[in-house]
Amino acid sequence: MTMRLTVDWTACEGRGLCGELLPELLDQDPWGYPMPREGGGTATVPAELTGHARRATRVCPTLALRLRRA
Ligand code: SF4
């Protein structure tokens, strides 16, 4: 099952926590805001990274990350 990770820019406060947990999918801008490598605020999550993506969504302090079926 393909999953997509989405960043809610209105909720994100930067600091880069998710980028540190999921560097395979998220770059960080100079202020620590996550920049999905695919652009557009979303990233396709390979099956082998689903667990890491779930963890990143759980620890986001502002609930700005969403993991959904593609
Ligand atoms: S963990 Fe949440 S608040 Fe922090 S940079 Fe990532 S999306 Fe933004």
Side-chain angles (χ1 to χ4, degrees):
M1 174 190 331
T2 303
M3 306 290 282
R4 289 191 67 78
L5 186 70
T6 303
V7 180
D8 178 352
W9 299 113
T10 64
C12 177
E13 294 182 349
R15 301 183 194 155
L17 178 58
C18 57
E20 292 178 14
L21 292 173
L22 208 50
E24 299 90 343
L25 299 179
L26 301 172
D27 289 327
Q28 295 179 47
D29 76 3
W31 299 274
Y33 286 89
M35 307 294 290
R37 294 191 172 177
E38 293 175 27
T42 66
T44 302
V45 181
E48 66 271 20
L49 292 178
T50 300
H52 293 285
R54 285 192 201 288
R55 180 170 177 233
T57 60
R58 278 199 306 267
V59 302
C60 174
T62 62
L63 305 178
L65 293 176
R66 297 273 189 276
L67 187 63
R68 300 181 179 138
R69 290 182 189 172

Short mmCIF file of all heavy atoms in Angstrom, two decimals:
data_model
loop_
_atom_site.label_atom_id
_atom_site.label_comp_id
_atom_site.label_asym_id
_atom_site.label_seq_id
_atom_site.Cartn_x
_atom_site.Cartn_y
_atom_site.Cartn_z
N MET A 1 0.85 -1.19 0.00
CA MET A 1 0.00 0.00 0.00
C MET A 1 0.89 1.25 0.00
O MET A 1 1.78 1.36 0.82
CB MET A 1 -0.89 -0.02 1.24
CG MET A 1 -1.69 1.23 1.43
SD MET A 1 -2.53 1.32 3.04
CE MET A 1 -2.83 -0.36 3.47
N THR A 2 0.64 2.14 -0.93
CA THR A 2 1.42 3.37 -1.00
C THR A 2 0.85 4.40 -0.05
O THR A 2 -0.36 4.60 0.03
CB THR A 2 1.41 3.93 -2.43
OG1 THR A 2 1.90 2.93 -3.31
CG2 THR A 2 2.28 5.18 -2.53
N MET A 3 1.74 5.05 0.71
CA MET A 3 1.32 6.10 1.64
C MET A 3 1.95 7.42 1.21
O MET A 3 2.99 7.46 0.56
CB MET A 3 1.79 5.76 3.07
CG MET A 3 1.35 4.40 3.57
SD MET A 3 -0.41 4.30 3.90
CE MET A 3 -0.50 5.13 5.49
N ARG A 4 1.28 8.49 1.61
CA ARG A 4 1.82 9.81 1.34
C ARG A 4 1.90 10.59 2.65
O ARG A 4 0.99 10.55 3.48
CB ARG A 4 0.96 10.57 0.33
CG ARG A 4 1.08 9.98 -1.06
CD ARG A 4 0.46 10.84 -2.12
NE ARG A 4 1.15 12.10 -2.32
CZ ARG A 4 2.28 12.23 -3.01
NH1 ARG A 4 2.86 11.18 -3.54
NH2 ARG A 4 2.83 13.40 -3.16
N LEU A 5 3.00 11.32 2.80
CA LEU A 5 3.22 12.16 3.97
C LEU A 5 2.98 13.61 3.55
O LEU A 5 3.54 14.08 2.56
CB LEU A 5 4.65 11.98 4.47
CG LEU A 5 5.01 12.69 5.77
CD1 LEU A 5 4.30 12.03 6.95
CD2 LEU A 5 6.52 12.64 5.99
N THR A 6 2.14 14.30 4.31
CA THR A 6 1.78 15.67 3.97
C THR A 6 2.11 16.60 5.13
O THR A 6 1.88 16.27 6.29
CB THR A 6 0.27 15.77 3.67
OG1 THR A 6 -0.06 14.86 2.63
CG2 THR A 6 -0.12 17.17 3.26
N VAL A 7 2.65 17.77 4.80
CA VAL A 7 2.96 18.78 5.81
C VAL A 7 1.87 19.86 5.77
O VAL A 7 1.55 20.41 4.72
CB VAL A 7 4.32 19.46 5.53
CG1 VAL A 7 4.61 20.52 6.60
CG2 VAL A 7 5.44 18.43 5.47
N ASP A 8 1.28 20.13 6.93
CA ASP A 8 0.33 21.24 7.07
C ASP A 8 1.14 22.48 7.44
O ASP A 8 1.53 22.67 8.59
CB ASP A 8 -0.69 20.90 8.16
CG ASP A 8 -1.68 22.03 8.38
OD1 ASP A 8 -1.51 23.13 7.81
OD2 ASP A 8 -2.63 21.82 9.16
N TRP A 9 1.36 23.33 6.45
CA TRP A 9 2.23 24.49 6.68
C TRP A 9 1.63 25.48 7.66
O TRP A 9 2.34 26.26 8.29
CB TRP A 9 2.50 25.20 5.35
CG TRP A 9 3.21 24.32 4.37
CD1 TRP A 9 2.71 23.82 3.20
CD2 TRP A 9 4.54 23.80 4.47
NE1 TRP A 9 3.64 23.03 2.59
CE2 TRP A 9 4.77 23.00 3.34
CE3 TRP A 9 5.54 23.93 5.43
CZ2 TRP A 9 5.98 22.34 3.14
CZ3 TRP A 9 6.74 23.27 5.22
CH2 TRP A 9 6.94 22.50 4.09
N THR A 10 0.33 25.47 7.83
CA THR A 10 -0.29 26.41 8.78
C THR A 10 -0.05 25.98 10.21
O THR A 10 -0.14 26.79 11.14
CB THR A 10 -1.80 26.53 8.53
OG1 THR A 10 -2.43 25.26 8.78
CG2 THR A 10 -2.10 26.98 7.12
N ALA A 11 0.25 24.69 10.42
CA ALA A 11 0.48 24.18 11.78
C ALA A 11 1.95 24.04 12.11
O ALA A 11 2.34 24.12 13.28
CB ALA A 11 -0.22 22.83 11.94
N CYS A 12 2.80 23.79 11.11
CA CYS A 12 4.22 23.54 11.35
C CYS A 12 4.90 24.77 11.95
O CYS A 12 4.68 25.90 11.51
CB CYS A 12 4.90 23.16 10.04
SG CYS A 12 6.68 22.91 10.19
N GLU A 13 5.74 24.52 12.95
CA GLU A 13 6.50 25.61 13.59
C GLU A 13 8.00 25.48 13.33
O GLU A 13 8.81 26.11 14.01
CB GLU A 13 6.22 25.62 15.09
CG GLU A 13 4.79 25.97 15.42
CD GLU A 13 4.53 26.02 16.91
OE1 GLU A 13 5.39 25.58 17.69
OE2 GLU A 13 3.44 26.49 17.27
N GLY A 14 8.37 24.62 12.38
CA GLY A 14 9.79 24.47 12.06
C GLY A 14 10.54 23.70 13.13
O GLY A 14 9.99 22.84 13.78
N ARG A 15 11.78 23.98 13.27
CA ARG A 15 12.69 23.34 14.24
C ARG A 15 13.25 22.01 13.75
O ARG A 15 14.17 21.49 14.35
CB ARG A 15 12.04 23.18 15.61
CG ARG A 15 11.61 24.50 16.19
CD ARG A 15 11.04 24.32 17.55
NE ARG A 15 10.34 25.52 17.97
CZ ARG A 15 9.38 25.54 18.85
NH1 ARG A 15 9.01 24.43 19.43
NH2 ARG A 15 8.81 26.66 19.18
N GLY A 16 12.64 21.41 12.75
CA GLY A 16 13.30 20.31 12.06
C GLY A 16 13.26 18.94 12.68
O GLY A 16 13.99 18.05 12.24
N LEU A 17 12.41 18.72 13.67
CA LEU A 17 12.37 17.40 14.30
C LEU A 17 12.06 16.31 13.27
O LEU A 17 12.74 15.28 13.22
CB LEU A 17 11.32 17.38 15.41
CG LEU A 17 11.12 16.06 16.14
CD1 LEU A 17 12.43 15.59 16.76
CD2 LEU A 17 10.04 16.20 17.19
N CYS A 18 11.06 16.52 12.45
CA CYS A 18 10.69 15.48 11.48
C CYS A 18 11.79 15.27 10.45
O CYS A 18 12.03 14.14 10.02
CB CYS A 18 9.37 15.82 10.80
SG CYS A 18 9.38 17.42 9.96
N GLY A 19 12.47 16.33 10.07
CA GLY A 19 13.56 16.19 9.11
C GLY A 19 14.70 15.36 9.66
O GLY A 19 15.37 14.64 8.93
N GLU A 20 14.90 15.42 10.97
CA GLU A 20 15.95 14.61 11.59
C GLU A 20 15.53 13.15 11.65
O GLU A 20 16.36 12.25 11.56
CB GLU A 20 16.25 15.13 12.99
CG GLU A 20 16.92 16.49 12.98
CD GLU A 20 17.18 17.01 14.37
OE1 GLU A 20 17.09 16.23 15.33
OE2 GLU A 20 17.46 18.21 14.49
N LEU A 21 14.23 12.89 11.81
CA LEU A 21 13.74 11.52 11.91
C LEU A 21 13.55 10.87 10.54
O LEU A 21 13.54 9.65 10.45
CB LEU A 21 12.40 11.50 12.66
CG LEU A 21 12.46 11.86 14.12
CD1 LEU A 21 11.06 11.96 14.70
CD2 LEU A 21 13.27 10.83 14.89
N LEU A 22 13.37 11.68 9.51
CA LEU A 22 13.04 11.14 8.20
C LEU A 22 13.84 11.85 7.11
O LEU A 22 13.27 12.40 6.16
CB LEU A 22 11.54 11.33 7.97
CG LEU A 22 10.79 10.36 7.07
CD1 LEU A 22 11.06 8.91 7.44
CD2 LEU A 22 9.32 10.67 7.10
N PRO A 23 15.17 11.82 7.22
CA PRO A 23 15.99 12.55 6.25
C PRO A 23 15.91 11.98 4.84
O PRO A 23 16.24 12.67 3.88
CB PRO A 23 17.41 12.43 6.82
CG PRO A 23 17.38 11.17 7.63
CD PRO A 23 15.99 11.11 8.22
N GLU A 24 15.43 10.72 4.74
CA GLU A 24 15.31 10.12 3.40
C GLU A 24 14.24 10.81 2.56
O GLU A 24 14.29 10.78 1.33
CB GLU A 24 14.96 8.63 3.51
CG GLU A 24 15.99 7.80 4.26
CD GLU A 24 15.70 7.73 5.77
OE1 GLU A 24 14.93 8.56 6.27
OE2 GLU A 24 16.26 6.83 6.42
N LEU A 25 13.26 11.42 3.24
CA LEU A 25 12.13 12.04 2.52
C LEU A 25 12.05 13.54 2.70
O LEU A 25 11.44 14.23 1.88
CB LEU A 25 10.80 11.43 3.02
CG LEU A 25 10.61 9.93 2.81
CD1 LEU A 25 9.27 9.50 3.37
CD2 LEU A 25 10.71 9.59 1.33
N LEU A 26 12.61 14.04 3.80
CA LEU A 26 12.43 15.45 4.13
C LEU A 26 13.77 16.17 4.23
O LEU A 26 14.59 15.85 5.08
CB LEU A 26 11.69 15.61 5.47
CG LEU A 26 10.30 14.98 5.56
CD1 LEU A 26 9.80 15.05 7.00
CD2 LEU A 26 9.33 15.68 4.61
N ASP A 27 13.96 17.16 3.37
CA ASP A 27 15.06 18.09 3.56
C ASP A 27 14.58 19.15 4.53
O ASP A 27 13.40 19.21 4.90
CB ASP A 27 15.45 18.73 2.23
CG ASP A 27 16.15 17.74 1.31
OD1 ASP A 27 16.86 16.86 1.81
OD2 ASP A 27 15.96 17.86 0.09
N GLN A 28 15.49 20.02 4.98
CA GLN A 28 15.10 21.12 5.86
C GLN A 28 15.56 22.43 5.25
O GLN A 28 16.67 22.51 4.71
CB GLN A 28 15.74 20.97 7.24
CG GLN A 28 15.27 19.75 7.99
CD GLN A 28 15.95 19.63 9.33
OE1 GLN A 28 16.03 20.60 10.07
NE2 GLN A 28 16.45 18.46 9.64
N ASP A 29 14.72 23.46 5.37
CA ASP A 29 15.17 24.76 4.92
C ASP A 29 16.03 25.38 6.03
O ASP A 29 16.19 24.77 7.10
CB ASP A 29 13.98 25.63 4.48
CG ASP A 29 13.18 26.18 5.64
OD1 ASP A 29 13.56 25.96 6.82
OD2 ASP A 29 12.17 26.86 5.38
N PRO A 30 16.61 26.57 5.83
CA PRO A 30 17.52 27.13 6.84
C PRO A 30 16.87 27.38 8.20
O PRO A 30 17.56 27.53 9.21
CB PRO A 30 17.96 28.45 6.20
CG PRO A 30 17.81 28.23 4.74
CD PRO A 30 16.60 27.36 4.60
N TRP A 31 15.54 27.40 8.27
CA TRP A 31 14.83 27.65 9.53
C TRP A 31 14.30 26.37 10.16
O TRP A 31 13.57 26.40 11.14
CB TRP A 31 13.68 28.65 9.31
CG TRP A 31 14.20 29.95 8.83
CD1 TRP A 31 14.66 30.99 9.58
CD2 TRP A 31 14.34 30.35 7.47
NE1 TRP A 31 15.09 32.00 8.78
CE2 TRP A 31 14.91 31.65 7.47
CE3 TRP A 31 14.06 29.75 6.25
CZ2 TRP A 31 15.19 32.34 6.30
CZ3 TRP A 31 14.34 30.44 5.08
CH2 TRP A 31 14.88 31.71 5.13
N GLY A 32 14.59 25.22 9.55
CA GLY A 32 14.16 23.94 10.09
C GLY A 32 12.82 23.47 9.59
O GLY A 32 12.32 22.44 10.06
N TYR A 33 12.23 24.17 8.62
CA TYR A 33 10.96 23.70 8.08
C TYR A 33 11.21 22.55 7.12
O TYR A 33 12.15 22.58 6.33
CB TYR A 33 10.23 24.84 7.35
CG TYR A 33 9.63 25.85 8.29
CD1 TYR A 33 10.36 26.94 8.72
CD2 TYR A 33 8.32 25.68 8.76
CE1 TYR A 33 9.82 27.86 9.61
CE2 TYR A 33 7.78 26.59 9.65
CZ TYR A 33 8.53 27.68 10.07
OH TYR A 33 8.00 28.57 10.95
N PRO A 34 10.34 21.52 7.20
CA PRO A 34 10.55 20.35 6.35
C PRO A 34 10.20 20.63 4.90
O PRO A 34 9.18 21.28 4.61
CB PRO A 34 9.60 19.31 6.95
CG PRO A 34 8.52 20.10 7.58
CD PRO A 34 9.17 21.37 8.07
N MET A 35 11.05 20.15 4.04
CA MET A 35 10.85 20.33 2.60
C MET A 35 10.83 18.94 1.95
O MET A 35 11.89 18.37 1.69
CB MET A 35 12.01 21.16 2.01
CG MET A 35 12.25 22.48 2.71
SD MET A 35 10.88 23.61 2.51
CE MET A 35 11.03 24.00 0.78
N PRO A 36 9.63 18.39 1.73
CA PRO A 36 9.57 17.09 1.06
C PRO A 36 10.33 17.13 -0.26
O PRO A 36 10.19 18.08 -1.04
CB PRO A 36 8.07 16.87 0.84
CG PRO A 36 7.42 17.65 1.93
CD PRO A 36 8.29 18.89 2.08
N ARG A 37 11.11 16.11 -0.49
CA ARG A 37 11.99 16.12 -1.67
C ARG A 37 11.23 16.13 -2.98
O ARG A 37 11.75 16.54 -4.00
CB ARG A 37 12.92 14.92 -1.62
CG ARG A 37 13.88 15.07 -0.45
CD ARG A 37 14.99 14.09 -0.48
NE ARG A 37 15.94 14.45 0.57
CZ ARG A 37 17.00 13.76 0.85
NH1 ARG A 37 17.27 12.68 0.17
NH2 ARG A 37 17.80 14.15 1.81
N GLU A 38 9.97 15.66 -2.95
CA GLU A 38 9.17 15.68 -4.18
C GLU A 38 8.60 17.07 -4.44
O GLU A 38 8.08 17.33 -5.52
CB GLU A 38 8.01 14.69 -4.08
CG GLU A 38 8.46 13.26 -4.04
CD GLU A 38 7.30 12.31 -3.82
OE1 GLU A 38 6.17 12.63 -4.19
OE2 GLU A 38 7.54 11.25 -3.25
N GLY A 39 8.64 17.93 -3.44
CA GLY A 39 8.05 19.26 -3.59
C GLY A 39 6.55 19.23 -3.34
O GLY A 39 5.94 18.18 -3.20
N GLY A 40 5.95 20.40 -3.25
CA GLY A 40 4.51 20.50 -3.10
C GLY A 40 3.98 20.13 -1.73
O GLY A 40 2.77 20.00 -1.56
N GLY A 41 4.84 19.96 -0.76
CA GLY A 41 4.36 19.69 0.59
C GLY A 41 3.98 18.25 0.86
O GLY A 41 3.47 17.95 1.93
N THR A 42 4.20 17.36 -0.10
CA THR A 42 3.89 15.95 0.14
C THR A 42 5.04 15.08 -0.34
O THR A 42 5.84 15.49 -1.18
CB THR A 42 2.61 15.50 -0.59
OG1 THR A 42 2.84 15.55 -1.99
CG2 THR A 42 1.43 16.36 -0.22
N ALA A 43 5.10 13.87 0.20
CA ALA A 43 6.12 12.92 -0.20
C ALA A 43 5.51 11.52 -0.23
O ALA A 43 4.75 11.16 0.66
CB ALA A 43 7.30 12.94 0.77
N THR A 44 5.84 10.76 -1.25
CA THR A 44 5.46 9.36 -1.30
C THR A 44 6.37 8.59 -0.36
O THR A 44 7.58 8.79 -0.36
CB THR A 44 5.61 8.81 -2.73
OG1 THR A 44 4.78 9.60 -3.60
CG2 THR A 44 5.19 7.36 -2.80
N VAL A 45 5.77 7.74 0.48
CA VAL A 45 6.54 7.01 1.49
C VAL A 45 6.75 5.57 1.02
O VAL A 45 5.79 4.80 0.91
CB VAL A 45 5.79 7.02 2.84
CG1 VAL A 45 6.60 6.27 3.90
CG2 VAL A 45 5.51 8.45 3.28
N PRO A 46 8.00 5.18 0.76
CA PRO A 46 8.25 3.78 0.42
C PRO A 46 7.87 2.87 1.59
O PRO A 46 7.95 3.29 2.75
CB PRO A 46 9.77 3.73 0.18
CG PRO A 46 10.19 5.14 0.01
CD PRO A 46 9.22 5.98 0.78
N ALA A 47 7.48 1.65 1.27
CA ALA A 47 7.02 0.72 2.31
C ALA A 47 8.04 0.56 3.43
O ALA A 47 7.66 0.50 4.61
CB ALA A 47 6.71 -0.63 1.68
N GLU A 48 9.32 0.55 3.10
CA GLU A 48 10.33 0.33 4.13
C GLU A 48 10.49 1.53 5.07
O GLU A 48 11.13 1.41 6.11
CB GLU A 48 11.68 -0.03 3.50
CG GLU A 48 12.33 1.07 2.69
CD GLU A 48 11.90 1.05 1.22
OE1 GLU A 48 10.85 0.45 0.91
OE2 GLU A 48 12.64 1.63 0.40
N LEU A 49 9.91 2.67 4.70
CA LEU A 49 10.01 3.86 5.57
C LEU A 49 8.70 4.20 6.26
O LEU A 49 8.60 5.20 6.97
CB LEU A 49 10.46 5.07 4.75
CG LEU A 49 11.90 5.02 4.22
CD1 LEU A 49 12.20 6.25 3.37
CD2 LEU A 49 12.89 4.91 5.39
N THR A 50 7.70 3.34 6.11
CA THR A 50 6.39 3.63 6.70
C THR A 50 6.49 3.75 8.23
O THR A 50 5.90 4.65 8.83
CB THR A 50 5.36 2.54 6.33
OG1 THR A 50 5.24 2.50 4.91
CG2 THR A 50 4.00 2.85 6.93
N GLY A 51 7.24 2.88 8.85
CA GLY A 51 7.38 2.94 10.30
C GLY A 51 8.03 4.24 10.76
O GLY A 51 7.59 4.85 11.74
N HIS A 52 9.04 4.67 10.05
CA HIS A 52 9.71 5.93 10.39
C HIS A 52 8.76 7.11 10.18
O HIS A 52 8.75 8.06 10.97
CB HIS A 52 10.96 6.10 9.54
CG HIS A 52 12.04 5.11 9.83
ND1 HIS A 52 12.84 5.19 10.96
CD2 HIS A 52 12.44 4.01 9.17
CE1 HIS A 52 13.69 4.18 10.96
NE2 HIS A 52 13.46 3.44 9.88
N ALA A 53 7.96 7.04 9.12
CA ALA A 53 7.02 8.12 8.85
C ALA A 53 5.95 8.18 9.94
O ALA A 53 5.55 9.26 10.38
CB ALA A 53 6.38 7.93 7.48
N ARG A 54 5.48 7.01 10.39
CA ARG A 54 4.49 7.00 11.48
C ARG A 54 5.08 7.62 12.73
O ARG A 54 4.42 8.37 13.44
CB ARG A 54 4.06 5.56 11.78
CG ARG A 54 3.13 4.97 10.77
CD ARG A 54 2.53 3.67 11.30
NE ARG A 54 2.04 2.84 10.23
CZ ARG A 54 0.96 3.08 9.51
NH1 ARG A 54 0.24 4.15 9.76
NH2 ARG A 54 0.59 2.27 8.55
N ARG A 55 6.32 7.29 13.02
CA ARG A 55 6.96 7.84 14.21
C ARG A 55 7.07 9.36 14.10
O ARG A 55 6.80 10.09 15.06
CB ARG A 55 8.34 7.22 14.38
CG ARG A 55 9.07 7.73 15.59
CD ARG A 55 10.32 6.91 15.87
NE ARG A 55 11.02 7.49 17.01
CZ ARG A 55 12.30 7.83 16.99
NH1 ARG A 55 13.02 7.62 15.92
NH2 ARG A 55 12.87 8.36 18.05
N ALA A 56 7.44 9.85 12.93
CA ALA A 56 7.56 11.30 12.74
C ALA A 56 6.22 11.99 12.95
O ALA A 56 6.15 13.05 13.57
CB ALA A 56 8.11 11.59 11.34
N THR A 57 5.14 11.38 12.46
CA THR A 57 3.83 12.00 12.65
C THR A 57 3.43 12.00 14.13
O THR A 57 2.80 12.94 14.61
CB THR A 57 2.73 11.30 11.82
OG1 THR A 57 2.64 9.94 12.21
CG2 THR A 57 3.03 11.38 10.34
N ARG A 58 3.83 10.95 14.85
CA ARG A 58 3.46 10.86 16.27
C ARG A 58 4.20 11.90 17.12
O ARG A 58 3.64 12.42 18.08
CB ARG A 58 3.77 9.47 16.82
CG ARG A 58 2.71 8.44 16.52
CD ARG A 58 2.82 7.24 17.45
NE ARG A 58 4.14 6.65 17.44
CZ ARG A 58 4.51 5.64 16.65
NH1 ARG A 58 3.64 5.10 15.84
NH2 ARG A 58 5.74 5.17 16.69
N VAL A 59 5.44 12.18 16.78
CA VAL A 59 6.23 13.07 17.64
C VAL A 59 6.12 14.54 17.23
O VAL A 59 6.61 15.41 17.96
CB VAL A 59 7.71 12.65 17.68
CG1 VAL A 59 7.84 11.22 18.18
CG2 VAL A 59 8.39 12.83 16.34
N CYS A 60 5.50 14.83 16.10
CA CYS A 60 5.34 16.23 15.71
C CYS A 60 4.54 16.97 16.79
O CYS A 60 3.40 16.61 17.06
CB CYS A 60 4.63 16.34 14.36
SG CYS A 60 4.26 18.06 13.92
N PRO A 61 5.12 17.99 17.40
CA PRO A 61 4.45 18.65 18.52
C PRO A 61 3.21 19.45 18.13
O PRO A 61 2.40 19.79 18.99
CB PRO A 61 5.53 19.57 19.10
CG PRO A 61 6.47 19.80 17.97
CD PRO A 61 6.45 18.54 17.15
N THR A 62 3.06 19.75 16.86
CA THR A 62 1.89 20.54 16.44
C THR A 62 0.94 19.75 15.55
O THR A 62 0.01 20.34 14.97
CB THR A 62 2.37 21.79 15.67
OG1 THR A 62 3.06 21.38 14.49
CG2 THR A 62 3.28 22.66 16.53
N LEU A 63 1.16 18.45 15.44
CA LEU A 63 0.29 17.58 14.61
C LEU A 63 0.21 18.09 13.17
O LEU A 63 -0.84 18.05 12.54
CB LEU A 63 -1.12 17.49 15.22
CG LEU A 63 -1.18 17.02 16.67
CD1 LEU A 63 -2.63 17.02 17.15
CD2 LEU A 63 -0.55 15.66 16.85
N ALA A 64 1.35 18.55 12.68
CA ALA A 64 1.39 19.12 11.33
C ALA A 64 1.66 18.09 10.25
O ALA A 64 1.59 18.42 9.07
CB ALA A 64 2.46 20.22 11.27
N LEU A 65 1.96 16.87 10.63
CA LEU A 65 2.23 15.82 9.65
C LEU A 65 1.06 14.86 9.56
O LEU A 65 0.52 14.46 10.58
CB LEU A 65 3.50 15.05 10.02
CG LEU A 65 4.82 15.81 9.96
CD1 LEU A 65 5.95 14.93 10.45
CD2 LEU A 65 5.10 16.28 8.54
N ARG A 66 0.72 14.49 8.35
CA ARG A 66 -0.35 13.52 8.13
C ARG A 66 0.19 12.41 7.23
O ARG A 66 0.86 12.67 6.25
CB ARG A 66 -1.55 14.15 7.42
CG ARG A 66 -2.21 15.25 8.21
CD ARG A 66 -3.26 14.69 9.13
NE ARG A 66 -4.05 15.75 9.75
CZ ARG A 66 -3.69 16.41 10.84
NH1 ARG A 66 -2.54 16.16 11.41
NH2 ARG A 66 -4.45 17.34 11.36
N LEU A 67 -0.13 11.17 7.60
CA LEU A 67 0.24 10.02 6.80
C LEU A 67 -1.05 9.37 6.32
O LEU A 67 -1.88 8.96 7.14
CB LEU A 67 1.06 9.04 7.64
CG LEU A 67 1.67 7.86 6.92
CD1 LEU A 67 2.68 8.31 5.87
CD2 LEU A 67 2.33 6.92 7.91
N ARG A 68 -1.21 9.31 5.00
CA ARG A 68 -2.45 8.80 4.43
C ARG A 68 -2.14 7.85 3.30
O ARG A 68 -1.08 7.93 2.69
CB ARG A 68 -3.30 9.94 3.87
CG ARG A 68 -3.69 10.96 4.88
CD ARG A 68 -4.56 12.03 4.23
NE ARG A 68 -4.96 13.02 5.20
CZ ARG A 68 -4.98 14.30 4.99
NH1 ARG A 68 -4.61 14.78 3.83
NH2 ARG A 68 -5.36 15.14 5.94
N ARG A 69 -3.14 7.03 2.98
CA ARG A 69 -3.02 6.19 1.80
C ARG A 69 -3.00 7.09 0.57
O ARG A 69 -3.74 8.08 0.50
CB ARG A 69 -4.21 5.25 1.68
CG ARG A 69 -4.22 4.17 2.72
CD ARG A 69 -5.38 3.25 2.50
NE ARG A 69 -5.51 2.34 3.62
CZ ARG A 69 -6.51 1.52 3.80
NH1 ARG A 69 -7.49 1.50 2.92
NH2 ARG A 69 -6.55 0.71 4.83
N ALA A 70 -2.18 6.71 -0.40
CA ALA A 70 -2.10 7.51 -1.63
C ALA A 70 -3.32 7.26 -2.50
O ALA A 70 -3.95 6.24 -2.42
CB ALA A 70 -0.84 7.17 -2.39
S1 SF4 B 1 8.01 18.01 13.57
FE1 SF4 B 1 6.09 19.07 13.01
S2 SF4 B 1 6.35 21.18 13.74
FE2 SF4 B 1 8.39 20.24 13.70
S3 SF4 B 1 9.24 20.78 11.69
FE3 SF4 B 1 8.23 18.78 11.46
S4 SF4 B 1 6.13 19.24 10.78
FE4 SF4 B 1 7.01 21.14 11.60
#
